[in-house]
Amino acid sequence: MVATPKFVHQLIHSASASHHRYGVVLKGDQPWQLQWLKQISSEVSSNQIFQVGGDAHSFSSQCVRYSKGQRLLGQECQLLICDFTQGFDANSFSAALGCVVGGGLVVIIPKPTASNAVDEQWLENALGKLIVVEQNQPLPCIPAKVDATLEAYSQQNLAVEKVRKVIEGHRKRPLVITADRGRGKSSALGIAAAELMKARDIHIMVTAPTLATIQPVFEHALRLLPKAKQEKGRLTFDDSVLEFVAPDELLRNQPTCDCLFVDEASAIPIPMLKKMVEHYHRAVFSTTVHGYEGCGRGFTLKFQLWLAKHRPNYNHIHLDQPIRWNSNDPLEQWHFDSFLLDAELQKLPKGQQDGGVLTHITKQQLLQQPQLLRACFALLVNAHYQTSPNDLMLLLADDAIQLYASFSGDVCIGCVLTVQEGELDEALIEQIQQGKRRPKGHLVATTLANQLGVAEAACCRSLRIMRIAVHPQLQRQGVGQRLLSQLREITEAEFYSTSFGASAELVSFWKKCGFMPVKLGSAREQASGTHSLVMVSGDGTWVNDVESYFRQFIQFSISTLFQDLELDLVRELLQEESSSLNPTAVHLIENYAKGGSSYDSVAPVFAAWWMASPKRLMSASDFLIRKFVQNWSWEQCVKEFALVGKKQAELQLRSDMAELLSSLNLHCKN
């Protein structure tokens, strides 16, 4: 059927009257699809047409590759053309959808032929729930108009007011803003910043996982401050400044400011957020709790529980009123449902908390019983802030990735995502070790072969645990350990591995499960602010060798590469059973604790002493670890522990040394 102007006009009129967005799928040959696109685009302003994927059309004002939809973030359009013929990227698609304003359309050009691939079948099923216009078939019904009763900006205005109060009110009363996507969270920060910069001389710092993340903050501030001077990551208006600082740089240098904005806070490790709260007494933390950013409920629960204890007067506002479209938007509901972004974690009823056996769930089961996947995905989203629509599609598409889950009734109490690695041929392994190849999907196998020279690890059949999640009501009860134990029973692998952003809590968990650290990344990851850690569990000489090498590596590197490593993580990575004591070393250390000798004289003795028995550091003070183990300068220690000069710092060091010796019951006879 050819495009009819009447149908297109009525569809756009219905969307506009309801201030809703509709998705339209065009199923037919290319000339027919192009005719429809021309007809639809003729009803929309030429500068309001964006395109994701496919060859750029003359009527598209912006066109990006199918995997680059994030480039459209912070912009708005009335028509979004999504061409899936060259490929589909769920994160890119999800990001681009947020650009479409109420009254707009998303027109999708699907792949021309059906596929047996599970991920493509899932997508095809989802597209079938939109308005499908098919060549040589009757036109579908146009959705009924809904009265648009918009109160879009009331919550956002309240958020702006609360941000201002952080500056103008009492100190140590941080604000937490949570919001579903498209609720104006970032624009509220930008508006508040502009109003404050107009009213006074103020220095506002904003931090986030990346500069691109907070671009909308700067754009909305600039909209209200058209005369402001704009540089990359910095906005200046008279004597006021709004500037971006990366999270790791912020905590390392602790620059002064009048207020700190932390956007997409869920993507920053909670230990880093805590340090921000402790140092910056006027701070706003905002984060998305739905949408492509993929924030888990765990952030709001854990961080806000901590805030309630340490900053009992903190404030919280949740934004659920859309500002770009009307409530109950059909496209948003379809998007959340199709990519499981609205998968809600169910509570465990009483009497159903023990759970069953860990079971392998096949790809076909996921397709035919979507409730299984929804239950598991709800748990994964809750546990891992980085879980995204692409993770869903990868799980469905990649045969190397498998899902295992344990249920109590209909509630998923735990699940494990694994990826098969290894069994690579000798020629490929040689290229990996020479840095010429890095085959996709073999993260640990290639890391061990390339970084540690262990070719055997890439030859072996291994299983990497990508994600493990346990229901919040059952955490810290040994459920995770039981899941991994059951996983070993129902799978076959010569060794097991995992890789994650290192924290003391996670390292402790994996050690309890029989895993040992073998490789710590030298640089912090930009997204999480943590060092990536590889841990393995298995038998064999090479496993013992890499574990032994890691102990040497971490002891050597703790005072150089890892000077800024978190103290609790230092203790966790350096734990070992104590070996025999050196009486001479203890005597010299004890003399220093009593006021004799000097730091320069005792430092190498203490280094040899703790390296021989790292477990002794479990009783050491933070100051001792920073100075003796991580080799901080006196100036750094004075600043970190709020001391008055080197003299007081060394007195404190001697005192802490005496306490350590006492706690270990080590005393030399006079």
Side-chain angles (χ1 to χ4, degrees):
M1 166 148 325
V2 296
T4 61
K6 182 179 179 182
F7 178 86
V8 171
H9 181 78
Q10 287 179 344
L11 181 61
I12 291 177
H13 178 72
S14 176
S16 179
S18 304
H19 203 61
H20 277 161
R21 305 171 305 159
Y22 297 135
V24 180
V25 181
L26 298 180
K27 298 184 72 173
D29 59 37
Q30 268 191 319
W32 176 86
Q33 289 171 332
L34 181 59
Q35 186 181 20
W36 269 89
L37 289 175
K38 287 179 177 179
Q39 182 62 55
I40 296 171
S41 63
S42 69
E43 298 273 346
V44 179
S45 300
S46 58
N47 63 345
Q48 290 285 303
I49 304 173
F50 293 175
Q51 183 179 338
V52 177
D55 297 327
H57 295 293
S58 59
F59 42 79
S60 299
S61 55
Q62 284 197 64
C63 180
V64 298
R65 291 190 68 241
Y66 74 87
S67 59
K68 301 296 181 182
Q70 290 87 346
R71 291 183 178 177
L72 301 176
L73 281 171
Q75 304 178 63
E76 295 182 348
C77 68
Q78 287 184 307
L79 173 60
L80 176 68
I81 300 168
C82 297
D83 191 324
F84 295 167
T85 56
Q86 296 175 358
F88 174 73
D89 184 289
N91 284 6
S92 167
F93 175 65
S94 297
L97 289 184
C99 301
V100 186
V101 298
L105 299 180
V106 174
V107 179
I108 296 170
I109 306 297
K111 279 191 172 182
T113 56
S115 169
N116 292 325
V118 176
D119 60 319
E120 294 189 18
Q121 288 184 58
W122 179 283
L123 182 59
E124 188 176 349
N125 291 343
L127 294 180
K129 299 174 183 177
L130 295 173
I131 300 171
V132 179
V133 180
E134 192 166 358
Q135 190 172 6
N136 300 322
Q137 295 295 324
L139 289 169
C141 296
I142 292 175
K145 288 182 287 186
V146 178
D147 291 334
T149 55
L150 292 174
E151 297 178 1
Y153 294 98
S154 59
Q155 283 188 348
Q156 189 189 55
N157 292 337
L158 180 60
V160 170
E161 182 182 336
K162 286 184 176 290
V163 172
R164 291 183 60 116
K165 283 186 177 179
V166 172
I167 299 292
E168 298 166 349
H170 294 285
R171 296 164 71 248
K172 296 188 177 182
R173 294 188 177 182
L175 171 65
V176 175
I177 303 174
T178 55
D180 290 350
R181 191 161 173 246
R183 269 59 180 177
K185 166 186 61 68
S186 296
S187 58
L189 292 180
I191 292 167
E195 290 184 359
L196 288 164
M197 292 169 75
K198 281 181 181 178
R200 62 180 69 202
D201 295 341
I202 190 171
H203 185 181
I204 301 172
M205 287 193 305
V206 55
T207 192
T210 65
L211 176 59
T213 303
I214 48 86
Q215 205 54 45
V217 177
F218 282 89
E219 289 171 355
H220 283 279
L222 187 62
R223 179 172 56 83
L224 298 180
L225 300 171
K227 295 183 179 179
K229 181 181 177 183
Q230 185 180 22
E231 303 171 63
K232 185 178 181 180
R234 185 181 175 92
L235 204 64
T236 306
F237 179 77
D238 293 337
D239 292 324
S240 293
V241 176
L242 173 68
E243 68 172 331
F244 170 78
V245 182
D248 55 345
E249 181 186 346
L250 178 80
L251 292 177
R252 184 171 59 250
N253 300 327
Q254 296 184 335
T256 58
C257 66
D258 298 301
C259 186
L260 173 67
F261 290 174
V262 185
D263 203 9
E264 294 310 339
S266 67
I268 298 173
I270 289 179
M272 295 180 74
L273 297 178
K274 291 177 180 178
K275 287 184 179 180
M276 293 175 191
V277 172
E278 289 165 350
H279 186 77
Y280 295 98
H281 295 162
R282 298 186 187 275
V284 179
F285 298 85
S286 68
T287 197
T288 307
V289 294
H290 264 142
Y292 78 95
E293 292 88 350
C295 164
R297 297 284 196 291
F299 159 78
T300 50
L301 292 174
K302 293 176 184 177
F303 184 53
Q304 287 184 246
L305 279 174
W306 183 87
L307 276 179
K309 181 179 179 180
H310 294 85
R311 294 290 187 270
N313 293 316
Y314 90 96
N315 291 295
H316 172 233
I317 181 173
H318 179 69
L319 309 181
D320 54 21
Q321 290 179 349
I323 63 168
R324 294 183 196 163
W325 48 80
N326 201 4
S327 299
N328 301 315
D329 180 68
L331 186 67
E332 181 177 63
Q333 292 176 347
W334 171 84
H335 177 221
F336 277 25
D337 181 66
S338 298
F339 296 98
L340 308 186
L341 298 174
D342 60 348
E344 293 291 341
L345 192 62
Q346 298 180 46
K347 288 186 177 181
L348 279 169
K350 291 182 179 180
Q352 285 191 6
Q353 296 200 358
D354 291 336
V357 178
L358 189 71
T359 305
H360 177 223
I361 301 177
T362 67
K363 309 285 186 184
Q364 283 302 318
Q365 281 180 284
L366 296 177
L367 186 64
Q368 295 165 6
Q369 304 175 59
Q371 71 276 8
L372 287 178
L373 182 54
R374 181 172 291 274
C376 295
F377 216 71
L379 193 57
L380 288 169
V381 169
N382 180 81
H384 297 273
Y385 69 85
Q386 288 181 316
T387 302
S388 71
N390 270 358
D391 291 318
L392 170 65
M393 302 308 290
L394 187 62
L395 168 60
L396 295 170
D398 193 339
D399 287 336
I401 298 174
Q402 297 296 326
L403 174 66
Y404 300 83
S406 179
F407 282 81
S408 178
D410 294 330
V411 182
C412 182
I413 65 163
C415 60
V416 183
L417 272 180
T418 68
V419 58
Q420 192 74 49
E421 290 193 355
E423 297 185 297
L424 305 178
D425 61 57
E426 290 184 11
L428 178 56
I429 293 172
E430 186 177 350
Q431 289 183 312
I432 291 170
Q433 293 187 313
Q434 294 173 0
K436 296 177 181 178
R437 294 280 301 277
R438 192 169 182 86
K440 193 174 180 180
H442 295 269
L443 174 64
V444 170
T446 56
T447 297
L448 295 178
N450 178 265
Q451 298 290 316
L452 302 183
V454 185
E456 191 175 349
C459 293
C460 294
R461 177 185 176 88
S462 63
L463 200 66
R464 173 164 56 92
I465 291 95
M466 294 176 63
R467 300 275 171 89
I468 179 170
V470 174
H471 197 287
Q473 290 176 246
L474 299 179
Q475 290 175 4
R476 302 184 186 279
Q477 297 180 33
V479 175
Q481 294 179 58
R482 189 171 75 237
L483 292 176
L484 290 175
S485 177
Q486 292 179 356
L487 179 70
R488 291 174 187 267
E489 294 174 3
I490 61 177
T491 57
E492 294 182 3
E494 293 175 70
F495 75 93
Y496 294 80
S497 69
T498 185
S499 177
F500 55 89
S503 69
E505 185 179 18
L506 286 175
V507 174
S508 176
F509 166 76
W510 286 102
K511 277 185 176 181
K512 290 175 184 176
C513 297
F515 287 70
M516 292 299 293
V518 295
K519 175 63 181 173
L520 184 65
S522 57
R524 292 184 185 271
E525 294 180 345
Q526 189 175 28
S528 67
T530 60
H531 294 269
S532 177
L533 179 67
V534 173
M535 298 182 72
V536 301
S537 177
D539 300 320
T541 303
W542 74 266
V543 175
N544 294 329
D545 289 345
V546 293
E547 290 176 3
S548 177
Y549 168 76
F550 180 79
R551 287 193 289 270
Q552 295 175 344
F553 165 80
I554 196 66
Q555 288 183 5
F556 177 82
S557 305
I558 201 71
S559 62
T560 53
L561 282 175
F562 304 114
Q563 265 199 336
D564 294 326
L565 205 64
E566 292 77 10
L567 289 158
D568 54 352
L569 184 54
V570 171
R571 290 185 174 93
E572 197 63 52
L573 291 174
L574 290 173
Q575 273 195 51
E576 287 180 57
E577 292 300 324
S578 297
S579 61
S580 59
L581 302 176
N582 183 330
T584 303
V586 176
H587 184 73
L588 289 171
I589 294 168
E590 188 176 40
N591 283 347
Y592 179 74
K594 292 177 178 178
S597 190
S598 67
Y599 170 80
D600 291 335
S601 296
V602 80
V605 177
F606 185 80
W609 182 73
W610 77 256
M611 286 181 186
S613 303
K615 201 166 186 178
R616 295 166 185 161
L617 294 176
M618 295 303 292
S619 303
S621 70
D622 291 352
F623 191 2
L624 276 173
I625 291 178
R626 288 299 198 204
K627 184 59 183 166
F628 274 118
V629 180
Q630 294 183 283
N631 196 28
W632 276 30
S633 68
W634 288 111
E635 291 76 15
Q636 285 176 301
C637 290
V638 165
K639 183 178 179 182
E640 171 86 358
F641 298 101
L643 300 170
V644 183
K646 178 183 174 182
K647 186 175 181 179
Q648 186 189 16
E650 189 156 17
L651 285 172
Q652 183 65 53
L653 192 65
R654 293 178 190 271
S655 174
D656 288 0
M657 183 72 74
E659 286 189 24
L660 174 62
L661 293 173
S662 177
S663 70
L664 295 173
N665 198 26
L666 300 176
H667 294 282
C668 294
K669 295 179 181 179
N670 293 326

